[in-house]
Amino acid sequence: MKNRINSSQWSVLSRQFMTLFLIFLLAGCEKNVTLNLPAPPPQICVEGHVEPGQLAWVYLSHNFAFFGTISISSIIANQVIDGATITVNDGFTTDTMLAVLPQLGYYETKTMKGVTGRTYNLTVKAEGQTLTATTSILPAIPLDSTWFQVQPGMDTLGYLWAILHDPPQPGNCYRWLVKRIGTVEPDTTFIPPYESVFDDAFINGQKFEFYYNRGSFPGSKAADDTDAESGYFKKGETCIIEFSTISYAAYQFYNEYYYQLNNVGNPFGSPAPVQGNITGGLGIWCGYGTSYDTVYCK
């Protein structure tokens, strides 16, 4: 569909032209500029997750400089946090988490599992600091239908599609993750695609169709993450979709996270902390109202 360019669009295009003009103008300057960027203050980062019927879990780590040098070995050696005391209270009992994978800073509750409608208070004590956060598990809003569809011009590769009927009350937020189980090398966990969250600001109360590509872990060297199959699902796979209702605070956190990913390598981007719901630190403690769908890619 072709659209005419209106006055506001001309204004945007004009600003973009001026920006490009300035870039070319300044490109002739060859003077090297060294920026002395201050190191960020050390803070503890939390990524926590609780959903119905599953043990709650938390990853603990340190923050690091936006332009700092990082590797898997340095993360394990310097960034993850072991030896923390982490408790979760659901209004009925309190459970102390176990360090299941201390070398990765990964903790799980001993027995407490998520229940829809309950509120979960997290307390983290580590390195002389106390961090707190609160989240709730909202009722799930399941997808109406799901299917696999080959992309035009492809023989076997495509995306997963779904239909969602958003409830009439505004303010619903969602997250989409997928785990492949019917492959030669099945996924070990649910993986979010890029920009895996959305809200109902433009779809409130509507029934609509949408799709997602296949996500991958950052830095993955798997063959289908580095060749022509990257980002696609394919015929013969069996996929489980985890579709979740999340809080607006969690939606804001992940939405800002993806926005900052867009800034990586952008000279005009402005790096900033991703605001979460952790008091005394950084990160997110998120309740997921989950529903599941199995898709056979045919």
Side-chain angles (χ1 to χ4, degrees):
M1 181 182 296
K2 295 183 179 180
N3 296 318
R4 294 182 178 179
I5 299 176
N6 57 38
S7 59
S8 63
Q9 289 172 320
W10 273 118
S11 176
V12 172
L13 289 172
S14 298
R15 289 196 298 270
Q16 291 175 336
F17 175 80
M18 288 304 297
T19 299
L20 290 173
F21 175 77
L22 288 172
I23 292 172
F24 288 122
L25 180 64
L26 295 174
C29 301
E30 297 182 358
K31 182 178 179 180
N32 293 325
V33 178
T34 301
L35 297 178
N36 186 15
L37 298 175
Q43 290 185 278
I44 294 175
C45 302
V46 178
E47 183 182 4
H49 178 119
V50 56
E51 67 175 88
Q54 301 295 325
L55 297 173
W57 55 259
V58 162
Y59 276 106
L60 279 189
S61 63
H62 296 103
N63 63 330
F64 55 88
F66 185 81
F67 293 104
T69 301
I70 191 167
S71 63
I72 296 298
S73 59
S74 67
I75 290 175
I76 294 176
N78 304 312
Q79 305 300 332
V80 300
I81 297 176
D82 185 21
T85 300
I86 306 176
T87 58
V88 182
N89 180 277
D90 65 354
F92 298 91
T93 60
T94 298
D95 196 344
T96 300
M97 287 189 165
L98 296 172
V100 178
L101 295 172
Q103 71 276 20
L104 298 179
Y106 178 76
Y107 301 76
E108 279 185 353
T109 49
K110 296 175 183 175
T111 58
M112 181 183 291
K113 297 182 179 181
V115 176
T116 300
R118 290 189 182 179
T119 296
Y120 293 85
N121 298 298
L122 176 74
T123 302
V124 177
K125 295 184 177 181
E127 301 179 342
Q129 303 178 54
T130 299
L131 292 72
T132 59
T134 299
T135 192
S136 299
I137 298 180
L138 301 173
I141 300 175
L143 297 165
D144 284 10
S145 58
T146 56
W147 67 96
F148 168 77
Q149 184 171 311
V150 173
Q151 281 295 100
M154 300 287 186
D155 292 328
T156 60
L157 305 178
Y159 299 141
L160 295 184
W161 289 72
I163 293 177
L164 171 67
H165 192 175
D166 183 71
Q169 66 273 18
N172 295 301
C173 302
Y174 306 99
R175 194 174 194 209
W176 166 292
L177 301 93
V178 175
K179 180 179 181 180
R180 295 175 299 166
I181 59 174
T183 62
V184 176
E185 295 184 6
D187 297 327
T188 57
T189 187
F190 287 91
I191 302 174
Y194 185 68
E195 296 185 339
S196 64
V197 297
F198 63 96
D199 67 356
D200 65 356
F202 298 104
I203 58 166
N204 182 54
Q206 299 181 38
K207 188 174 184 178
F208 73 104
E209 187 177 286
F210 67 101
Y211 70 90
Y212 268 112
N213 63 321
R214 180 173 61 83
S216 61
F217 289 119
S220 172
K221 301 300 183 183
D224 58 4
D225 288 333
T226 56
D227 61 15
E229 295 182 1
S230 177
Y232 292 102
F233 300 96
K234 60 184 175 182
K235 284 185 177 181
E237 294 180 336
T238 300
C239 303
I240 301 176
I241 299 171
E242 181 184 86
F243 188 69
S244 302
T245 308
I246 59 175
S247 68
Y248 186 68
Y251 161 74
Q252 285 184 305
F253 173 84
Y254 286 111
N255 197 44
E256 178 66 19
Y257 166 76
Y258 291 118
Y259 175 78
Q260 292 299 331
L261 280 183
N262 276 330
N263 278 339
V264 175
N266 179 2
F268 301 103
S270 54
V274 178
Q275 299 299 320
N277 64 350
I278 307 296
T279 301
L282 302 173
I284 190 72
W285 168 236
C286 182
Y288 287 75
T290 53
S291 62
Y292 295 92
D293 291 276
T294 301
V295 178
Y296 301 98
C297 300
K298 299 180 179 180

